Amino acid sequence: MSFITKILVGYDGSKAGDKALDYAINIARSFNAKLYIIHVIEEGKITIAPDSSMYPALIDSMEKQGRDLLNRAVERARNLGVDVEGLLEVGTDAAETIINVANNLNVDLIIVGSRGLRGLTRFLLGSVSEKVVRYANRPVLVVH
């Protein structure tokens, strides 16, 4: 019986995200696990007011970019023989969204990339990976 049957990986298209995706694909292949790739659009980081006439077009553009990223990532995993599903989510906080989806899917492992923030920048901005590690109630692998 496999120890890891479902994996959720956060993916944003960055170098750290690519590394996390590579680890997730390799672990999913090793355990013959289902892989969920999640891309989160953070509404809380959009600087246009929600009642602005530009807001819907901006969200549409971000969703299109997110779907394109996800499609490429899903295709990459599928070409390597992984059972994979892409998830595009809109939320106010990426870490919170990743944790909620992980709980809803009852995954065995969450994988996220680290952007390597240090010192004051990390303190002021926080990071998705740190929040996921701190608040998730399941194992988290942070890929550097």
Side-chain angles (χ1 to χ4, degrees):
M1 185 164 149
S2 182
F3 179 68
I4 297 174
T5 60
K6 293 190 270 184
I7 300 168
L8 178 67
V9 60
Y11 187 66
D12 62 2
S14 67
K15 286 182 183 181
D18 285 336
K19 287 181 181 179
L21 179 60
D22 289 342
Y23 268 84
I25 289 170
N26 287 326
I27 293 170
R29 287 178 67 192
S30 296
F31 285 91
N32 196 29
K34 169 87 179 212
L35 178 61
Y36 296 94
I37 304 171
I38 185 171
H39 178 77
V40 180
I41 298 169
E42 285 185 293
E43 282 185 315
K45 302 247 169 108
I46 299 172
T47 57
I48 296 175
D51 59 353
S52 167
S53 63
M54 293 175 58
Y55 189 81
L58 180 59
I59 290 291
D60 286 346
S61 174
M62 292 174 78
E63 286 179 355
K64 182 188 179 318
Q65 290 174 354
R67 275 191 297 278
D68 290 345
L69 273 175
L70 273 176
N71 288 340
R72 287 191 299 272
V74 165
E75 184 176 332
R76 186 163 140 196
R78 195 168 281 141
N79 287 340
L80 292 169
V82 174
D83 180 14
V84 61
E85 183 177 331
L87 307 169
L88 180 66
E89 298 288 330
V90 178
T92 55
D93 180 85
E96 186 178 301
T97 302
I98 289 169
I99 292 167
N100 288 339
V101 169
N103 290 338
N104 291 339
L105 293 172
N106 196 28
V107 301
D108 303 301
L109 177 64
I110 301 170
I111 301 176
V112 290
S114 170
R115 292 196 303 174
L117 296 177
R118 301 213 192 303
L120 185 60
T121 304
R122 180 174 169 198
F123 176 74
L124 292 174
L125 297 177
S127 78
V128 172
S129 57
E130 181 181 3
K131 287 180 185 176
V132 172
V133 167
R134 185 177 301 251
Y135 297 111
N137 61 357
R138 56 198 70 240
V140 179
L141 172 64
V142 179
V143 180
H144 294 278

